[in-house]
Amino acid sequence: MALAMPVAFAITVLLHPFWSWLEASIGLESMGRHGPDEWCYVAVWGVMVLAVLLAGASRWRRADRPQREAGDPGPRPR
């Protein structure tokens, strides 16, 4: 999750035109004097973390599928 922070920072800065458009069209305060507002960074970081978690869960489910198809039920619940 921490590794996503520098990437999220760069993406947020690159989305500067989007944040400006969002503020102008909706009126939602998204640009400060020195760049995007704090919530913009958090929003981009949150989307990145969610994407990584979903990709990991999907990969985990695909890795577990051959065992179930072969008839192995996997570990028993306690």
Side-chain angles (χ1 to χ4, degrees):
M1 308 304 161
L3 293 175
M5 285 184 183
V7 177
F9 174 80
I11 291 173
T12 304
V13 172
L14 290 173
L15 287 173
H16 189 281
F18 170 74
W19 301 123
S20 297
W21 169 82
L22 187 69
E23 184 172 3
S25 63
I26 298 177
L28 183 64
E29 185 70 34
S30 58
M31 292 300 295
R33 279 187 231 144
H34 304 290
D37 217 9
E38 183 178 339
W39 72 266
C40 300
Y41 294 104
V42 174
V44 170
W45 180 79
V47 168
M48 288 184 61
V49 168
L50 181 63
V52 167
L53 290 175
L54 289 175
S58 173
R59 186 178 215 190
W60 177 74
R61 289 184 67 208
R62 277 196 311 263
D64 189 39
R65 188 175 301 143
Q67 291 176 347
R68 285 186 272 140
E69 289 174 355
D72 181 15
R76 290 185 212 159
R78 294 179 187 216

